[in-house]
Amino acid sequence: AFGETLKMTAQKFRTPSMGQTATPTAPTPRGASAATGPAGRLIKVTDSSTVYYVYASGKKKPFASAAAFLSYGNRWADIELVTSQQLAAIPNVQLLKSTASQSVYLLNGATLRPIVSEAAFLAAGYRWANIELANPTDVQSYPLGTPVQ
């Protein structure tokens, strides 16, 4: 579950490249292929067990579970320790899409909120270029919240 935090020591892990953009109707990868996963940094603050993936776009997303973390073939030894100030300076991923689905979600804290239509997406002022991709295990590890209509 998303509320679970990963119990980690000062270890690191690696993740293949996920920094891509896609639209709900026609995914258009940016950066490495969706099949290889994320290509950015894996970070955490020393006094927290939450691990974040930093996309090529410079935005961060927490891993919701150890299963999501491990689904990319990550190694604990590849996690980079950062200060809380450094973490706070990295913007959060707002829009997320599974590589196995056309659904787009608003990542709202610890919850994914499905965006019900293209009209709802555009009315909320979102941009297709701001969608980040994640593998199905990663996306399914977040609980679903109220749809964005």
Side-chain angles (χ1 to χ4, degrees):
F2 184 83
E4 296 176 23
T5 53
L6 301 175
K7 304 293 183 203
M8 295 178 224
T9 59
Q11 300 173 322
K12 296 182 174 186
F13 61 94
R14 87 177 150 71
T15 312
S17 185
M18 212 168 27
Q20 303 175 7
T21 5
T23 67
T25 54
T28 53
R30 171 186 54 164
S33 75
T36 61
R41 296 167 52 202
L42 300 161
I43 61 173
K44 74 180 269 326
V45 176
T46 304
D47 61 351
S48 173
S49 58
T50 303
V51 175
Y52 296 84
Y53 174 72
V54 181
Y55 284 84
S57 66
K59 295 178 183 175
K60 71 180 183 293
K61 178 192 75 62
F63 282 99
S65 69
F69 165 79
L70 294 169
S71 69
Y72 293 100
N74 293 327
R75 295 181 334 188
W76 305 112
D78 291 336
I79 298 170
E80 176 185 344
L81 295 176
V82 298
T83 66
S84 54
Q85 292 81 10
Q86 289 170 316
L87 182 69
I90 302 170
N92 294 318
V93 166
Q94 187 175 26
L95 300 169
L96 194 64
K97 178 188 169 312
S98 169
T99 57
S101 169
Q102 294 302 315
S103 297
V104 175
Y105 301 92
L106 173 63
L107 182 55
N108 189 10
T111 305
L112 284 182
R113 297 180 58 204
I115 300 174
V116 299
S117 67
E118 181 176 357
F121 181 92
L122 296 172
Y126 300 131
R127 297 183 48 207
W128 303 119
N130 293 338
I131 299 170
E132 298 290 357
L133 295 180
N135 74 31
T137 300
D138 195 358
V139 172
Q140 292 167 5
S141 68
Y142 293 93
L144 291 180
T146 308
V148 175
Q149 300 194 18

